[in-house]
Amino acid sequence: DTVPVEYLRDGEMQTTQMTLTKRSLPELATTPDELAQTVRRTHVEVDLALTELIRGVPEDLLARPPAEGEWSVIEIMSHLLFSERYLYTWMWAMASGDDAVPWNDNNILQRVPLLALYPSAAELLDELRRSLAGLVALAKAIPASVVENKPLFAQMAGVFAGFAGHATLHLEQIRQTLAAVAPANA
């Protein structure tokens, strides 16, 4: 269907036509073991890409934001780590019957504690890898009562599937950040 859409831009009401399409959904795991394999595969891909991106880059460049108010590479990595740890809480809440765990914003309190614990890119990468082991264990341990609740398990699998897209966006952000902070003669 094509429907009219009204929106406000620069204080003026605009109208356009929007064609509605079916949203394609990824194939979702149907068992905890399949989910664990999916989580592992996604994280291995992210780990390989991230490892390649930061290989040989001096730590001072990894800690340099491209502009005021933007994140450095290590801040982006700490955000990815925070996001993985957030998944622990979200999955726990969902398994307990509450899927309303809010993601408020990306304020500094998300990154500062992790950067104090893991100040270098290598330490963050190691902790991301450890966090992966926890997420794989979490996926395998989802109780049968949750798996039997097919809509709930599908929602959990969908949340995990969404992490791949989230990580891909931040890998691109890291590429752009590295390009912006690279010395001019490099």
Side-chain angles (χ1 to χ4, degrees):
D1 292 341
T2 299
V3 296
V5 175
E6 292 183 346
Y7 60 96
L8 195 60
R9 173 155 301 146
D10 297 327
E12 291 187 34
M13 187 61 72
Q14 306 284 325
T15 303
T16 191
Q17 296 292 314
M18 177 186 277
T19 302
L20 304 177
T21 61
K22 183 177 180 180
R23 181 177 173 191
S24 63
L25 296 174
E27 285 284 326
L28 297 177
T30 58
T31 68
D33 284 339
E34 285 178 18
L35 183 56
Q37 290 171 8
T38 300
V39 171
R40 179 177 285 116
R41 188 172 43 255
T42 296
H43 282 75
V44 166
E45 292 169 6
V46 170
D47 180 24
L48 291 171
L50 187 53
T51 300
E52 189 59 32
L53 281 170
I54 66 173
R55 178 175 290 138
V57 178
E59 197 68 36
D60 66 314
L61 289 181
L62 295 172
R64 185 180 302 159
E68 187 174 332
E70 293 184 19
W71 292 349
S72 68
V73 170
I74 63 169
E75 287 174 310
I76 297 166
M77 291 174 69
S78 71
H79 168 76
L80 286 171
L81 178 56
F82 180 88
S83 300
E84 287 198 3
R85 290 181 173 182
Y86 185 81
L87 281 177
Y88 290 5
T89 301
W90 200 352
M91 294 300 113
W92 164 75
M94 289 175 77
S96 300
D98 182 11
D99 66 352
V101 178
W103 181 278
N104 294 319
D105 63 9
N106 290 323
N107 72 57
I108 195 166
L109 296 180
Q110 175 190 94
R111 297 177 310 279
V112 166
L114 294 172
L115 291 171
L117 292 170
Y118 317 106
S120 73
E123 291 169 298
L124 282 164
L125 190 54
D126 285 344
E127 190 57 24
L128 277 165
R129 290 173 179 147
R130 279 189 285 277
S131 185
L132 159 64
L135 285 173
V136 170
L138 182 151
K140 284 184 175 183
I142 293 174
S145 61
V146 172
V147 178
E148 291 164 5
N149 182 337
K150 293 197 185 306
L152 177 59
F153 187 77
Q155 185 177 5
M156 293 174 88
V159 168
F160 273 116
F163 181 78
H166 177 252
T168 299
L169 289 172
H170 286 300
L171 289 170
E172 181 56 33
Q173 182 184 14
I174 288 171
R175 281 183 194 88
Q176 293 172 4
T177 299
L178 289 171
V181 299
N185 61 355

